[in-house]
Amino acid sequence: MRELTYADGLREALREEMIRDPNVILLGEEIGVFQGVYRVTRGLLDEFGPERVRDTPISEAAIAGAAVGLALVGLKPVAEIMYMDFLPICLDQLATQAAKIRFMSGGQLRVPMVLRTQYSLGRQHGSQHSQFFPSWFLQVPGLKVVLPATPHDAKGLLKSAIRDENPILFIECGVLYRTKGPVSEGEYTIPLGRADIKRKGDDITIVGVSRCVGEALSAADKLKDRGVSAEVIDIRTLQPLDLGTIVDSVKRTGRLIVACDDIKTGGVGSEVSAAVTEAAFDYLDAPIMRVACPETPIPFSPPLEQEYMPSANRIIQTVERIIA
C-alpha cells in the first residue's frame, strides 16, 4: 500500500483509464493548461494532448451537453463541473437527456459519461460555492450517484464509473483533496452500489456520506473510550444504494444515525431512514437520528461555517441521546 492524496487517487484513475481506453476523453474549465483548479488533472494534457484533454468555455450547459453528445457517438467523456453549485445550470442535459436516453430508445442508445464535480463546504467559499445536495438526484432514474470518501475509494470508484455504460454523477469533496490514505498498488476497481463497513461495532450503526465518513470514524474512536462500540458504514454510492449492508448492520446494533453534509429536510438521511424503517422497523431499539446541516444558507465566516457542518462531536452528542 502507498500513501496518496485523494486528488492523486483520482488522477491515477483518470490516467490509467485513458491509457486503457483511447475513447476516454476529459473536458472542463481549466483542466488542461491550468491543470485543474484542484490539480486533479495535473500533467494529463502533456501526456495525452489537447484532443483528449479539452479546455472548455465557462458554460456548464455546454460542458454537460457536449458530454452527452460525445457519449452517444461512442466516446467515454469525463466532464468536470468546477462546483456542485453549478449543476442546476446543466440539469436539463444531465437529468432530462443523459439519464433518459437509454430508456427512451429501448436500450438502443447508451450514454456512458461521467460528470465529476466537487462541493466546497469547509473551504470558506460562501453560500453559492459550498452547497451539497446529492439527494436531488435520487429523483432522476437512470443516473448513478457516487460519493467517495477516501483516496482508495476515490480511485477505485472512478475507474468503475468510467467503465460503466450509464451516466454517472461523481461527487467529490473539496476539503478531502489533500487528505492522505493508503491506496492499493496495481489494477483494481470498486463495484458501484456496494457500501463499505469502515469499522465494525455492536451498539450503534453510523452511516457516513463523503466527508462525514471521517467524522463518523473520529466519533467512533472517542465513543470506544466511553464504552460504546459503533459500526461505521461508508455509503459510497447513493444510487444504487446498498440498503442490504445498512439493514444487516441495524439488525445487529438496533440503532442508526446517518451523518451527511446536506440539510436535514429531504436529505440523504431522510431517504436512508425511510428505507431502513420499511425494511427493519422491528429491529430498531431507538428512533433513527440524522446529523445534518442547519436549514440556512452556508455562512462565509470560518467559525460559523465550522459550527454549521456536521462534526464528530455532534455525532457523539446524538449517540448519547439514543444510548442510555
Side-chain angles (χ1 to χ4, degrees), residues 197-313:
I197 300 175
K198 291 288 196 265
R199 180 187 181 120
K200 289 282 189 180
D202 301 313
D203 298 326
I204 188 166
T205 301
I206 305 173
V207 171
V209 181
S210 190
R211 185 194 68 86
C212 287
V213 173
E215 298 298 322
L217 288 169
S218 178
D221 285 339
K222 296 174 183 177
L223 287 165
K224 182 180 178 181
D225 296 335
R226 306 182 190 191
V228 177
S229 174
E231 181 149 296
V232 177
I233 296 177
D234 180 355
I235 206 169
R236 294 207 296 202
T237 61
L238 183 55
Q239 187 66 273
L241 174 66
D242 183 3
L243 182 60
T245 294
I246 300 170
V247 167
D248 288 345
S249 177
V250 170
K251 286 181 177 179
R252 289 187 295 99
T253 67
R255 299 172 178 86
L256 174 64
I257 288 174
V258 184
C260 186
D261 276 328
D262 57 0
I263 64 170
K264 183 177 289 186
T265 300
V268 173
S270 299
E271 175 60 26
V272 173
S273 299
V276 171
T277 299
E278 288 179 351
F281 178 78
D282 291 339
Y283 293 88
L284 290 168
D285 297 324
I288 299 172
M289 304 295 288
R290 294 166 289 169
V291 179
C293 293
E295 298 186 21
T296 67
I298 299 162
F300 173 76
S301 161
L304 288 178
E305 185 183 40
Q306 287 301 309
E307 187 66 23
Y308 178 93
M309 297 162 62
S311 63
N313 285 338

Side-chain angles (χ1 to χ4, degrees), residues 109-121:
L109 299 174
R110 298 187 179 187
V111 189
M113 60 175 277
V114 178
L115 196 69
R116 291 181 48 241
T117 192
Q118 65 84 37
Y119 73 104
S120 278
L121 184 64

Side-chain angles (χ1 to χ4, degrees), residues 17 50 99 102 105 151-152 159 170 176 198 227 241 270-271 296-297 300 302 305 314 322:
E17 291 306 298
R102 186 170 182 174
S105 69
H152 182 268
K159 288 172 71 70
F170 197 91
L176 296 181
K198 291 288 196 265
L241 174 66
S270 299
E271 175 60 26
T296 67
F300 173 76
E305 185 183 40
R314 282 180 57 195
I322 59 177

